[in-house]
Amino acid sequence: MSHLLTGVPASPGIAIAKAYRLEMEESIPQREEIEDRAAEMRRLKKAIESAKVDIDRIREQTLERLGPQKAEIFEAHLFLLDDPELTDAALARIDREGVCAEFALYEVAAAIMDALRSMDNEMLRERAADVGDITRRVINKLEGRAHHMFSELNDEVILFAKDLTPSDTAQLNMDYIRGFVTEIGSRTSHSAIMARSLELAAVVGAGSDASQIRTGDTVILDATSGEIIVNPSRSQMEDYSERKRKYEDDVLRMKSYVDRPSVTADEVHVELAGNIGGIEDLEKVLDNGADGIGLFRTEFLYMGRSTFPSEEEQYSVYKHVLEKMNGKRVVIRTLDIGGDKELTYMQLPQEMNPFLGLRAIRLCLDREDLFRTQLRALLRASAHGKLAIMFPMISLLSELREAKRILNEERIRLEQEGVMVASDLEVGMMIETPAAALAADLLAEEVDFFSIGTNDLIQYTMAADRMNESVSYLYQPHHPVILRMVQLVIQAADRHGKWAGMCGEMAGDASAIPLLLGLGLHEFSMSASSVLPARELLSRLSRQEWSRLAAEALNMSSQQEVLDFVNNQLRSEA
Ligand code: PEP
Ligand code: MG
């Protein structure tokens, strides 16, 4: 019997394939006495060798797909598996105490991790997470359980997991993975955002029912509607194969908009830019004919590795992106760590409310050393294209001033060193807090641009955690309250002759674009896959008409009323 589950459509697409379940439960090995100590030691050695082969394969694939920086982490893992402090000590423990290999390795690793975590040296503290990761990999081998190693796949699958971290998502094997479903998460969680940049069908927040789906079940994933059909009937299979074909045809039709300008029916030009998380997303942005990059989330450069990226490393990435974009504007956001984005190698205090805590600019102003390294890399790269630097999560004018002061100090220092910095470099900020939106008129005097981060702005305005699906109904981008905030920001920018863009998910939402156009937004930055549908849509809209309609929407009383109004209007224009 087929059955239906629903979740949040996070990245469009239709996939039909077998399910593959990613087991995340991590049991703690128990102490077990064994008879044959020599055989147990051989068993451990074999598991270590086998883990090494896997890691090496992942290293090579990562090198090919995502470049040398992302591959470095796996080199470090190989190195750790050869460390006698770990492996020899575990073997010695089996030999001495006659305990099973899982327990011996776990105990030795736990002691090493505790010791590393208590060190003063940050580099050493960072190693604890890597020790934990390789230990789990070897224990999984010993227990005959698959590590979540997507490279082991050799057939098309739809992945099912409780949750996926951004680095899990970065490692997905795109040859075989046709889509994924997670039990928790929302449209704006970072795995969802990455799925959109990988153009991978994804449904998130499908709830605990999704945990019943087993590896090998046949699944239809309709990530345009958020539906998951398990063990479908023949007629459902036929129906969805047809829908899949139609969806793929539409995607092809959109491709004809690649070289066209982003212009409305009444000849108003706007900018349609792409959001990226790293060099690997550039190709999609270029393939989809984006007018620039409106958000480079640089935190992904810092993730999935064991040390901070150096100034030199960052410089070469930023330079590469600017050169590839060939004179089109590239907005690079400074480090936005905290909230749901953690660095395993950076020990931050546990917080009750990480999204309200030491994140983004707050963290950078607290850890000036990190901030200065990134700013120097950005300033140096500015000579290679059209760079705009953007600060995230500003709440206060004083935070903006402090960030600009540090930027200016680094600029002067570089110039004194004889390094060229672009004279037309733009400096702007994200509007992600209600405090910033309400103070937009003051802030506009001191920036070149605003970019509205609706993922956070909606979370903070509605006081609804963007990771918590039980309050996800409060994510209401079309709510008049949100539209009013957006209007405030655009008007403040206009009054000061600055430009206002948006790089939150709302900017790529087809039922929000007409309203944003009507409110006068200048730049829309979105996942690469949304650029062409947005360009096609804009070509049918009149800005003049939508300014009138948006003014009406501002006075409505609910998101539903606004949505009905927009959809009726779009239908009558079609
Ligand atoms: C936002 O908050 O809208 C945004 C673009 O930033 P992020 O999603 O990376 O928090
Ligand atoms: Mg944000």
Side-chain angles (χ1 to χ4, degrees), residues 190 193 295 297 299 333 336 341 355 359-360 392-393 430-432 452-457 459-460 466 503-504:
H190 287 91
I193 291 168
L295 170 64
R297 289 182 162 95
E299 49 279 10
R333 175 172 79 183
D336 183 6
K341 289 174 283 194
F355 272 112
R359 63 171 291 210
M393 274 286 289
M430 296 193 66
I431 300 279
E432 295 181 284
I452 308 173
T454 45
N455 306 341
D456 278 316
L457 184 61
Q459 137 165 286
Y460 296 129
R466 65 195 260 190
C503 58

mmCIF file of all heavy atoms in Angstrom, residues 190 193 295 297 299 333 336 341 355 359-360 392-393 430-432 452-457 459-460 466 503-504, ligand 2:
data_model
loop_
_atom_site.group_PDB
_atom_site.id
_atom_site.type_symbol
_atom_site.label_atom_id
_atom_site.label_comp_id
_atom_site.label_asym_id
_atom_site.label_seq_id
_atom_site.Cartn_x
_atom_site.Cartn_y
_atom_site.Cartn_z
ATOM 1 N N HIS A 190 20.076 25.798 6.589
ATOM 2 C CA HIS A 190 21.161 25.888 5.609
ATOM 3 C C HIS A 190 21.270 24.679 4.691
ATOM 4 O O HIS A 190 21.755 24.789 3.571
ATOM 5 C CB HIS A 190 22.468 26.262 6.297
ATOM 6 C CG HIS A 190 22.440 27.704 6.704
ATOM 7 N ND1 HIS A 190 21.990 28.094 7.936
ATOM 8 C CD2 HIS A 190 22.679 28.832 6.011
ATOM 9 C CE1 HIS A 190 21.992 29.418 7.992
ATOM 10 N NE2 HIS A 190 22.412 29.885 6.843
ATOM 11 N N ILE A 193 19.059 25.549 1.857
ATOM 12 C CA ILE A 193 19.677 26.552 0.983
ATOM 13 C C ILE A 193 20.720 25.894 0.086
ATOM 14 O O ILE A 193 20.800 26.159 -1.114
ATOM 15 C CB ILE A 193 20.288 27.690 1.837
ATOM 16 C CG1 ILE A 193 19.143 28.490 2.483
ATOM 17 C CG2 ILE A 193 21.170 28.603 0.996
ATOM 18 C CD1 ILE A 193 19.564 29.460 3.560
ATOM 19 N N LEU A 295 24.907 37.713 -2.763
ATOM 20 C CA LEU A 295 25.271 37.204 -1.430
ATOM 21 C C LEU A 295 26.244 36.040 -1.590
ATOM 22 O O LEU A 295 25.908 35.014 -2.176
ATOM 23 C CB LEU A 295 24.027 36.716 -0.674
ATOM 24 C CG LEU A 295 24.293 35.947 0.639
ATOM 25 C CD1 LEU A 295 24.965 36.839 1.679
ATOM 26 C CD2 LEU A 295 22.997 35.388 1.230
ATOM 27 N N ARG A 297 27.946 33.681 0.931
ATOM 28 C CA ARG A 297 27.955 33.333 2.361
ATOM 29 C C ARG A 297 29.336 32.772 2.685
ATOM 30 O O ARG A 297 29.570 31.573 2.570
ATOM 31 C CB ARG A 297 26.901 32.261 2.658
ATOM 32 C CG ARG A 297 25.468 32.745 2.572
ATOM 33 C CD ARG A 297 24.511 31.614 2.944
ATOM 34 N NE ARG A 297 23.187 32.086 3.284
ATOM 35 C CZ ARG A 297 22.167 32.150 2.418
ATOM 36 N NH1 ARG A 297 22.322 31.763 1.174
ATOM 37 N NH2 ARG A 297 20.998 32.601 2.810
ATOM 38 N N GLU A 299 30.847 32.013 5.288
ATOM 39 C CA GLU A 299 31.058 31.071 6.398
ATOM 40 C C GLU A 299 31.313 29.650 5.904
ATOM 41 O O GLU A 299 31.965 28.858 6.563
ATOM 42 C CB GLU A 299 29.900 31.090 7.400
ATOM 43 C CG GLU A 299 28.507 30.977 6.823
ATOM 44 C CD GLU A 299 27.958 32.293 6.287
ATOM 45 O OE1 GLU A 299 28.719 33.274 6.184
ATOM 46 O OE2 GLU A 299 26.763 32.327 5.957
ATOM 47 N N ARG A 333 29.619 38.726 1.862
ATOM 48 C CA ARG A 333 29.233 38.973 3.254
ATOM 49 C C ARG A 333 30.341 38.500 4.179
ATOM 50 O O ARG A 333 30.882 37.401 3.999
ATOM 51 C CB ARG A 333 27.940 38.220 3.548
ATOM 52 C CG ARG A 333 27.526 38.326 4.992
ATOM 53 C CD ARG A 333 26.171 37.745 5.214
ATOM 54 N NE ARG A 333 26.193 36.299 5.295
ATOM 55 C CZ ARG A 333 25.105 35.555 5.424
ATOM 56 N NH1 ARG A 333 23.923 36.135 5.450
ATOM 57 N NH2 ARG A 333 25.181 34.258 5.516
ATOM 58 N N ASP A 336 29.498 34.943 8.935
ATOM 59 C CA ASP A 336 28.221 34.866 9.661
ATOM 60 C C ASP A 336 28.130 33.501 10.361
ATOM 61 O O ASP A 336 27.392 32.625 9.937
ATOM 62 C CB ASP A 336 27.059 35.067 8.674
ATOM 63 C CG ASP A 336 25.696 35.069 9.365
ATOM 64 O OD1 ASP A 336 25.649 35.024 10.607
ATOM 65 O OD2 ASP A 336 24.676 35.117 8.656
ATOM 66 N N LYS A 341 24.964 27.671 12.370
ATOM 67 C CA LYS A 341 26.240 27.424 11.690
ATOM 68 C C LYS A 341 27.371 27.427 12.705
ATOM 69 O O LYS A 341 27.665 28.458 13.302
ATOM 70 C CB LYS A 341 26.466 28.492 10.613
ATOM 71 C CG LYS A 341 25.530 28.311 9.432
ATOM 72 C CD LYS A 341 25.640 29.432 8.422
ATOM 73 C CE LYS A 341 24.925 30.678 8.874
ATOM 74 N NZ LYS A 341 24.736 31.669 7.802
ATOM 75 N N PHE A 355 20.509 31.748 18.188
ATOM 76 C CA PHE A 355 20.135 32.727 17.165
ATOM 77 C C PHE A 355 20.054 34.153 17.729
ATOM 78 O O PHE A 355 20.028 35.117 16.994
ATOM 79 C CB PHE A 355 18.801 32.356 16.509
ATOM 80 C CG PHE A 355 18.974 31.429 15.335
ATOM 81 C CD1 PHE A 355 18.518 30.120 15.384
ATOM 82 C CD2 PHE A 355 19.611 31.865 14.181
ATOM 83 C CE1 PHE A 355 18.688 29.271 14.299
ATOM 84 C CE2 PHE A 355 19.777 31.031 13.090
ATOM 85 C CZ PHE A 355 19.312 29.725 13.150
ATOM 86 N N ARG A 359 26.591 35.885 17.387
ATOM 87 C CA ARG A 359 26.711 35.404 16.015
ATOM 88 C C ARG A 359 27.045 36.561 15.081
ATOM 89 O O ARG A 359 26.915 37.719 15.433
ATOM 90 C CB ARG A 359 25.431 34.671 15.549
ATOM 91 C CG ARG A 359 24.198 35.497 15.491
ATOM 92 C CD ARG A 359 23.024 34.780 14.812
ATOM 93 N NE ARG A 359 23.221 34.579 13.381
ATOM 94 C CZ ARG A 359 22.230 34.529 12.490
ATOM 95 N NH1 ARG A 359 20.978 34.658 12.872
ATOM 96 N NH2 ARG A 359 22.487 34.349 11.205
ATOM 97 N N ALA A 360 27.505 36.186 13.884
ATOM 98 C CA ALA A 360 27.728 37.145 12.795
ATOM 99 C C ALA A 360 28.601 38.326 13.222
ATOM 100 O O ALA A 360 29.653 38.131 13.796
ATOM 101 C CB ALA A 360 26.383 37.575 12.227
ATOM 102 N N PRO A 392 26.816 41.313 8.193
ATOM 103 C CA PRO A 392 25.550 40.672 8.581
ATOM 104 C C PRO A 392 25.092 41.039 9.991
ATOM 105 O O PRO A 392 25.921 41.395 10.846
ATOM 106 C CB PRO A 392 25.919 39.180 8.550
ATOM 107 C CG PRO A 392 27.375 39.161 8.913
ATOM 108 C CD PRO A 392 27.988 40.452 8.443
ATOM 109 N N MET A 393 23.782 40.951 10.229
ATOM 110 C CA MET A 393 23.199 41.026 11.581
ATOM 111 C C MET A 393 23.493 42.305 12.352
ATOM 112 O O MET A 393 23.654 42.276 13.577
ATOM 113 C CB MET A 393 23.742 39.866 12.427
ATOM 114 C CG MET A 393 22.983 38.601 12.290
ATOM 115 S SD MET A 393 21.411 38.643 13.130
ATOM 116 C CE MET A 393 21.905 38.596 14.829
ATOM 117 N N MET A 430 23.461 44.095 5.857
ATOM 118 C CA MET A 430 22.211 43.371 5.748
ATOM 119 C C MET A 430 21.203 43.986 6.712
ATOM 120 O O MET A 430 21.575 44.482 7.777
ATOM 121 C CB MET A 430 22.405 41.896 6.100
ATOM 122 C CG MET A 430 23.318 41.213 5.127
ATOM 123 S SD MET A 430 23.268 39.430 5.301
ATOM 124 C CE MET A 430 21.598 39.054 4.787
ATOM 125 N N ILE A 431 19.950 43.934 6.311
ATOM 126 C CA ILE A 431 18.879 44.317 7.239
ATOM 127 C C ILE A 431 18.244 42.994 7.657
ATOM 128 O O ILE A 431 17.525 42.355 6.896
ATOM 129 C CB ILE A 431 17.831 45.220 6.556
ATOM 130 C CG1 ILE A 431 18.452 46.511 6.023
ATOM 131 C CG2 ILE A 431 16.673 45.475 7.523
ATOM 132 C CD1 ILE A 431 18.665 47.622 7.011
ATOM 133 N N GLU A 432 18.588 42.559 8.862
ATOM 134 C CA GLU A 432 18.106 41.265 9.349
ATOM 135 C C GLU A 432 17.403 41.379 10.694
ATOM 136 O O GLU A 432 16.850 40.408 11.192
ATOM 137 C CB GLU A 432 19.272 40.293 9.496
ATOM 138 C CG GLU A 432 19.923 39.952 8.176
ATOM 139 C CD GLU A 432 21.057 38.965 8.329
ATOM 140 O OE1 GLU A 432 22.137 39.388 8.784
ATOM 141 O OE2 GLU A 432 20.875 37.784 8.005
ATOM 142 N N ILE A 452 18.303 43.087 2.229
ATOM 143 C CA ILE A 452 17.378 42.634 3.276
ATOM 144 C C ILE A 452 17.467 41.114 3.411
ATOM 145 O O ILE A 452 17.240 40.384 2.444
ATOM 146 C CB ILE A 452 15.934 43.065 2.948
ATOM 147 C CG1 ILE A 452 15.897 44.578 2.654
ATOM 148 C CG2 ILE A 452 14.993 42.715 4.102
ATOM 149 C CD1 ILE A 452 14.551 45.082 2.143
ATOM 150 N N GLY A 453 17.829 40.677 4.595
ATOM 151 C CA GLY A 453 17.948 39.236 4.865
ATOM 152 C C GLY A 453 16.645 38.778 5.511
ATOM 153 O O GLY A 453 16.518 38.749 6.733
ATOM 154 N N THR A 454 15.690 38.404 4.660
ATOM 155 C CA THR A 454 14.355 38.104 5.201
ATOM 156 C C THR A 454 14.322 36.819 6.026
ATOM 157 O O THR A 454 13.445 36.664 6.868
ATOM 158 C CB THR A 454 13.327 37.996 4.066
ATOM 159 O OG1 THR A 454 13.911 37.205 3.030
ATOM 160 C CG2 THR A 454 12.957 39.361 3.547
ATOM 161 N N ASN A 455 15.262 35.905 5.791
ATOM 162 C CA ASN A 455 15.230 34.661 6.578
ATOM 163 C C ASN A 455 15.324 35.007 8.059
ATOM 164 O O ASN A 455 14.582 34.486 8.891
ATOM 165 C CB ASN A 455 16.397 33.741 6.206
ATOM 166 C CG ASN A 455 16.467 33.470 4.721
ATOM 167 O OD1 ASN A 455 15.478 33.657 4.030
ATOM 168 N ND2 ASN A 455 17.610 33.051 4.231
ATOM 169 N N ASP A 456 16.266 35.894 8.364
ATOM 170 C CA ASP A 456 16.401 36.309 9.755
ATOM 171 C C ASP A 456 15.419 37.409 10.116
ATOM 172 O O ASP A 456 14.869 37.406 11.213
ATOM 173 C CB ASP A 456 17.846 36.768 10.033
ATOM 174 C CG ASP A 456 18.750 35.574 10.290
ATOM 175 O OD1 ASP A 456 18.325 34.667 11.031
ATOM 176 O OD2 ASP A 456 19.862 35.528 9.742
ATOM 177 N N LEU A 457 15.199 38.336 9.206
ATOM 178 C CA LEU A 457 14.293 39.445 9.548
ATOM 179 C C LEU A 457 12.906 38.911 9.934
ATOM 180 O O LEU A 457 12.288 39.385 10.889
ATOM 181 C CB LEU A 457 14.179 40.427 8.371
ATOM 182 C CG LEU A 457 13.324 41.664 8.657
ATOM 183 C CD1 LEU A 457 13.890 42.503 9.804
ATOM 184 C CD2 LEU A 457 13.168 42.536 7.415
ATOM 185 N N GLN A 459 12.278 35.813 11.042
ATOM 186 C CA GLN A 459 12.446 35.076 12.311
ATOM 187 C C GLN A 459 12.413 36.025 13.508
ATOM 188 O O GLN A 459 11.756 35.764 14.509
ATOM 189 C CB GLN A 459 13.755 34.278 12.241
ATOM 190 C CG GLN A 459 14.633 34.292 13.465
ATOM 191 C CD GLN A 459 15.701 33.212 13.464
ATOM 192 O OE1 GLN A 459 15.417 32.040 13.671
ATOM 193 N NE2 GLN A 459 16.935 33.617 13.248
ATOM 194 N N TYR A 460 13.129 37.144 13.395
ATOM 195 C CA TYR A 460 13.196 38.055 14.548
ATOM 196 C C TYR A 460 11.928 38.898 14.691
ATOM 197 O O TYR A 460 11.527 39.232 15.802
ATOM 198 C CB TYR A 460 14.432 38.966 14.439
ATOM 199 C CG TYR A 460 15.740 38.192 14.496
ATOM 200 C CD1 TYR A 460 16.731 38.369 13.543
ATOM 201 C CD2 TYR A 460 15.973 37.253 15.502
ATOM 202 C CE1 TYR A 460 17.917 37.652 13.584
ATOM 203 C CE2 TYR A 460 17.155 36.526 15.552
ATOM 204 C CZ TYR A 460 18.129 36.728 14.592
ATOM 205 O OH TYR A 460 19.291 36.015 14.635
ATOM 206 N N ARG A 466 13.785 29.924 13.139
ATOM 207 C CA ARG A 466 13.693 29.434 11.758
ATOM 208 C C ARG A 466 14.014 27.949 11.634
ATOM 209 O O ARG A 466 13.800 27.354 10.582
ATOM 210 C CB ARG A 466 14.585 30.265 10.823
ATOM 211 C CG ARG A 466 16.059 30.172 11.092
ATOM 212 C CD ARG A 466 16.835 31.280 10.385
ATOM 213 N NE ARG A 466 17.465 30.840 9.151
ATOM 214 C CZ ARG A 466 18.341 31.560 8.461
ATOM 215 N NH1 ARG A 466 18.659 32.785 8.849
ATOM 216 N NH2 ARG A 466 18.879 31.095 7.373
ATOM 217 N N CYS A 503 18.418 39.492 -0.163
ATOM 218 C CA CYS A 503 19.103 38.230 -0.446
ATOM 219 C C CYS A 503 18.533 37.077 0.388
ATOM 220 O O CYS A 503 19.046 35.971 0.359
ATOM 221 C CB CYS A 503 20.612 38.364 -0.225
ATOM 222 S SG CYS A 503 21.024 38.869 1.439
ATOM 223 N N GLY A 504 17.454 37.342 1.140
ATOM 224 C CA GLY A 504 16.765 36.254 1.840
ATOM 225 C C GLY A 504 15.957 35.461 0.823
ATOM 226 O O GLY A 504 15.786 35.886 -0.333
HETATM 227 MG MG MG B 2 20.801 35.802 8.012
#
